[in-house]
C-alpha cells in the first residue's frame, strides 16, 4: 500500500487522495481552495472599491504558487521582511516589492543594487528610520554601482513598539538624511499598526490616531519638498486586523499630488479561527477579534473572510478522564497567538466528520497537544481532529509541502514553500 509522508523527497499526497481517509501521515496542514479563492476575491473587490493597492506580506506563505495566485487576483506587489524573502520574489518576477524592515547591512545593500540592475520591470522600496540606517543603506547601494536611485519610505513607529521614528520631527530628520544621499529618493511613508490592540472602542480610536499621525507626517514631508518628484508618493501600513481603517484614513490624506495607498495584509488570504478561540492565556490581543465588526472585505465592506487553513491530527492517547493527547505540536501548528481551535472530529471507526464541541487545546509540546475533554465525550484513540489555526504567518513556515484540497478534502495540488 502506498503511504503519503509529510516530509522527505517524495513527500505529499497524490491528487485525488482524501486527507481524512487516505493512507497519509498525520498531522496534515491543508489549504481549502474554495475559502482561499473567496478571500482573494473579497480583498480584490475591497481594494478596487476603495481605490487602494495591495502588497500582501509574502512571509505569510513564502510559496511561489500562492504569491503568483495573489498577483493574478489583483495584488499590486508583495511585501517582504528580509533580503532572503526579497530574493525569492525577485526570482519569480514579482513586479513591486516593499522590504518592510530596515536594511542596515551594507553588503546586503550592495547585493540589492546589483540584483536590481537590468530589471526595469521590477521595483523595490526599502524603509528607513534613522540617519545611521540611511547612511548604511546608501553606502551599500553606492558600492553596487547601480546608477538608479533606490526609493525609500520613512517609517513611523509606536512608543514601546518595533522600528520606526517616534515623532514627526524625527521623521523629518530622517527624510533630510535621505535627501542628502543621491543614491536614495524619498517615495513616501510607512508604518505597521498591527501591534496595537483593538479590543475596545478606545483602543480602536488609538489605532485611528496613529494612522492619522502617519498621514500628517506625509503631509509635512510633502510641504517641505522632501518627497521625490521622480516617484509616485506611497503611503502604506500593514496588518490584517485594521486594513479597513488603513484604507479609509490614508486615502483621506491630501498631498500636493495624487498618492498611492498600499495595504500590506498578509493573513487575509487564509484568515484564521481567532473568532472562535477561547481567551488567549497570554492575553495578547493582536490576533483577537476587534471591538467592532471589522475587518470586513468585499466591494461594500461587508464580506467576512473565511478560515482557509486547517490542521488535521490523530488522537493518540486518552490517558485519564477529562484529558486526551493529540499528535499536533509546536513543530506543526502556530501557538504564539493562541492554540489551535478544535472544531471537528472524524471517528476512528469511519464516517463523516462531525462537530466537536467542548474539546480544547490547553498546552502544546514539540509533537503533542494536550486536550481538555468534557465528560461524556466520545473522543477515542484514532479519531481525527480538525483544528483551526490562529496566526497563519507562523503556520506555513513549519511545512515544506501543503495539500490544496476541495470541499471533500481531496487533494487538488501540493503547495510548496520556500522558507
Amino acid at each position: 500500500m502506498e503511504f503519503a509522508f509529510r516530509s522527505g523527497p517524495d513527500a505529499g499526497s497524490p491528487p485525488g487522495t482524501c486527507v481524512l481517509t487516505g493512507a497519509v501521515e498525520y498531522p496534515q496542514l491543508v489549504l481549502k481552495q474554495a475559502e482561499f479563492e473567496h478571500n482573494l476575491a473579497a480583498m480584490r473587490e475591497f481594494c478596487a472599491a476603495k481605490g487602494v493597492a495591495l502588497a500582501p506580506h509574502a512571509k505569510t506563505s513564502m510559496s511561489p504558487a500562492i504569491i503568483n495566485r495573489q498577483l493574478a487576483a489583483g495584488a499590486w506587489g508583495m511585501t517582504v521582511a528580509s533580503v532572503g524573502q526579497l530574493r525569492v520574489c525577485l526570482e519569480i518576477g514579482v513586479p513591486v516589492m516593499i522590504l518592510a524592515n530596515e536594511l542596515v547591512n551594507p553588503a546586503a545593500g550592495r547585493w540589492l543594487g546589483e540584483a536590481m540592475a537590468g530589471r526595469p520591470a521590477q521595483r523595490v522600496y526599502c524603509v528607513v528610520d534613522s540617519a545611521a540606517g540611511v547612511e548604511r543603506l546608501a553606502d551599500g547601494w553606492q558600492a553596487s554601482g547601480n546608477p538608479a536611485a533606490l526609493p525609500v519610505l520613512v517609517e513611523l513607529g509606536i512608543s514601546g513598539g518595533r522600528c520606526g521614528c517616534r515623532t514627526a520631527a524625527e521623521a523629518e530628520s530622517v527624510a533630510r538624511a535621505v535627501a542628502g544621499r543621491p543614491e536614495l529618493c524619498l517615495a513616501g511613508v510607512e508604518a505597521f499598526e498591527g501591534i496595537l490592540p483593538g479590543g475596545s472602542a478606545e483602543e480602536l480610536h488609538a489605532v485611528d490616531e496613529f494612522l492619522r499621525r502617519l498621514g500628517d507626517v506625509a503631509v509635512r514631508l510633502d510641504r517641505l519638498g522632501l518627497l521625490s518628484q521622480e516617484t509616485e508618493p506611497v503611503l502604506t501600513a500593514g496588518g490584517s486586523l485594521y486594513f479597513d481603517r488603513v484604507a479609509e484614513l490614508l486615502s483621506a490624506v491630501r498631498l500636493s499630488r495624487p498618492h498611492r495607498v498600499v495595504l500590506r495584509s498578509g493573513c487575509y488570504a487564509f484568515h484564521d479561527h481567532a473568532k472562535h478561540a477561547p481567551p488567549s492565556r497570554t492575553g495578547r490581543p493582536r490576533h483577537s477579534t476587534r471591538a467592532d465588526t471589522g475587518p470586513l472585505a468585499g466591494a461594500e465592506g461587508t464580506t467576512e473572510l473565511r478560515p482557509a487553513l486547517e490542521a488535521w491530527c490523530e488522537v493518540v492517547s486518552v490517558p485519564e478522564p477529562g484529558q486526551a493527547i493529540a499528535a499536533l505540536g509546536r513543530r506543526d501548528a502556530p501557538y504564539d497567538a493562541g492554540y489551535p481551535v478544535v472544531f471537528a472530529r472524524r471517528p476512528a471507526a469511519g464516517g463523516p466528520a462531525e462537530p466537536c464541541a467542548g474539546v480544547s487545546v490547553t498546552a502544546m509540546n514539540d509533537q503533542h497537544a494536550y486536550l481538555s475533554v468534557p465528560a461524556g465525550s466520545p473522543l477515542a484513540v484514532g479519531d481525527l481532529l480538525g483544528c483551526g489555526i490562529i496566526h497563519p504567518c507562523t503556520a506555513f513556515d513549519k511545512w515544506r509541502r501543503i495539500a490544496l484540497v476541495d470541499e471533500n478534502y481531496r487533494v487538488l495540488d501540493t503547495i510548496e514553500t520556500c522558507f
Side-chain angles (χ1 to χ4, degrees), residues 168-182:
E170 290 177 11
E172 179 184 332
S173 177
V174 173
R176 292 190 183 279
V178 172
R181 293 299 303 251

Side-chain angles (χ1 to χ4, degrees), residues 108-397:
R110 177 172 181 167
W111 168 84
L112 178 58
E114 293 171 349
M116 291 304 296
R119 294 178 182 266
Q122 292 177 284
R123 184 163 71 259
V124 172
Y125 295 85
C126 289
V127 301
V128 290
D129 72 351
S130 68
V134 167
E135 292 303 309
R136 295 178 69 85
L137 176 60
D139 287 347
W141 187 269
Q142 182 185 53
S144 75
N146 192 324
L150 172 66
V152 299
L153 310 169
V154 170
E155 181 167 24
L156 184 68
I158 299 163
S159 179
R162 299 193 324 205
C163 305
C165 302
R166 294 325 197 224
T167 67
E170 290 177 11
E172 179 184 332
S173 177
V174 173
R176 292 190 183 279
V178 172
R181 293 299 303 251
E183 301 86 2
L184 310 178
C185 64
L186 185 60
V189 297
E190 179 272 348
F192 177 64
E193 81 296 341
I195 61 174
L196 287 168
S200 68
E202 292 76 13
E203 289 172 337
L204 280 177
H205 178 73
V207 172
D208 288 353
E209 285 303 305
F210 175 67
L211 293 171
R212 290 190 182 98
R213 282 182 55 214
L214 181 65
D216 291 343
V217 168
V219 170
R220 177 172 178 162
L221 300 183
D222 182 42
R223 289 176 177 171
L224 291 170
L226 293 172
L227 293 181
S228 172
Q229 295 298 311
E230 304 303 317
T231 62
E232 172 189 45
V234 169
L235 279 63
T236 177
S240 299
L241 193 56
Y242 307 116
F243 63 76
D244 52 341
R245 311 303 307 137
V246 173
E248 177 180 339
L249 294 169
L250 295 190
S251 294
V253 175
R254 293 293 174 259
L255 302 182
S256 60
R257 54 200 166 106
H259 66 279
R260 182 183 297 271
V261 174
V262 182
L263 310 183
R264 304 199 312 275
S265 309
C267 298
Y268 79 95
F270 320 104
H271 203 43
D272 66 15
H273 283 73
K275 180 177 180 181
H276 309 286
S280 169
R281 68 183 180 89
T282 64
R284 286 208 239 173
R286 196 177 90 165
H287 296 281
S288 62
T289 53
R290 285 182 7 184
D292 59 5
T293 57
L296 299 173
E300 304 298 325
T302 57
T303 302
E304 289 193 0
L305 299 174
R306 300 173 183 170
L309 277 180
E310 297 174 0
W312 285 82
C313 61
E314 295 171 303
V315 175
V316 295
S317 179
V318 184
E320 59 187 76
Q323 185 188 71
I325 305 296
L328 181 73
R330 295 185 177 206
R331 293 177 180 267
D332 311 306
Y335 57 90
D336 59 311
Y339 292 136
V341 180
V342 180
F343 67 87
R345 164 183 171 265
R346 184 181 184 275
E354 57 191 37
C356 188
V359 177
S360 62
V361 178
T362 60
M364 295 176 77
N365 295 151
D366 284 356
Q367 309 284 178
H368 298 93
Y370 296 74
L371 306 176
S372 173
V373 182
S377 171
L379 200 69
V381 169
D383 285 356
L384 282 182
L385 296 180
C387 300
I389 61 96
I390 299 176
H391 196 194
C393 289
T394 51
F396 285 90
D397 64 310

